[in-house]
Amino acid sequence: MKSKIYLFIILVSSIHHFNAQEKSIAEKLVQEQVEGYNARNIEAFVKPYAEDVELYMFPDKLISKGKEAMRKDYSEMFKKLPELHCEIKNRIVNGNFIIDQESISGMRKGEKVVASAIYEIKDGKISKVYFIP
């Protein structure tokens, strides 16, 4: 009986450890793109995204599809807004989903924009982003 209990404890610990690793991978990818965004380094910014990434205005309005479209759009924004900076105010990690509440400066002179984004991670890349207005 004791061996069954120990086996169960080991199994549960292994599952918890696996989930913690998955969360850290998802969170690492999202943090990587935040750092690229803040450096206005387009290649660092798009690196964690899937080639076929989809960006949505929540809940389901597709606004962009593909890493190349992101590269073009964000490159232009980085050039136009040299003071652009994103600060993460709150982050929720839930499996392969990351929800960030962000405070963005440099978009409007003297103002910070509060934004929220939901990132979906699939196959080790950010596959979808939902922006919440």
Side-chain angles (χ1 to χ4, degrees):
M1 180 68 174
K2 283 185 179 181
S3 63
K4 287 183 182 179
I5 291 172
Y6 290 130
L7 181 61
F8 177 74
I9 291 170
I10 290 169
L11 179 62
V12 169
S13 296
S14 298
I15 291 170
H16 176 71
H17 179 70
F18 176 75
N19 286 340
Q21 284 181 327
E22 287 299 309
K23 287 180 184 178
S24 66
I25 290 168
E27 190 168 9
K28 180 180 177 259
L29 290 169
V30 172
Q31 186 59 38
E32 184 179 335
Q33 64 90 39
V34 169
E35 290 168 7
Y37 181 96
N38 285 340
R40 287 167 306 287
N41 177 330
I42 193 62
E43 293 310 317
F45 174 68
V46 299
K47 182 181 175 194
Y49 285 92
E51 291 298 324
D52 59 348
V53 62
E54 296 175 348
L55 306 180
Y56 291 90
M57 189 58 67
F58 188 82
D60 59 3
K61 182 181 176 191
L62 183 65
I63 56 176
S64 182
K65 184 172 173 70
K67 190 186 275 192
E68 286 308 313
M70 273 188 78
R71 181 178 280 112
K72 179 183 177 290
D73 294 342
Y74 280 87
S75 287
E76 290 174 16
M77 185 171 69
F78 291 166
K79 287 176 188 172
K80 289 180 183 177
L81 303 170
E83 300 298 317
L84 196 61
H85 184 82
C86 176
E87 179 183 352
I88 304 303
K89 293 300 205 176
N90 291 300
R91 175 171 282 166
I92 298 171
V93 179
N94 187 1
N96 66 321
F97 288 91
I98 305 292
I99 305 168
D100 277 351
Q101 181 185 39
E102 306 166 345
S103 176
I104 303 168
S105 56
M107 291 185 88
R108 298 182 190 140
K109 192 166 180 101
E111 284 185 49
K112 290 189 177 186
V113 176
V114 176
S116 296
I118 302 169
Y119 300 90
E120 182 177 353
I121 313 304
K122 188 175 180 183
D123 299 326
K125 293 287 187 180
I126 301 170
S127 63
K128 292 182 183 174
V129 182
Y130 299 89
F131 297 105
I132 301 172

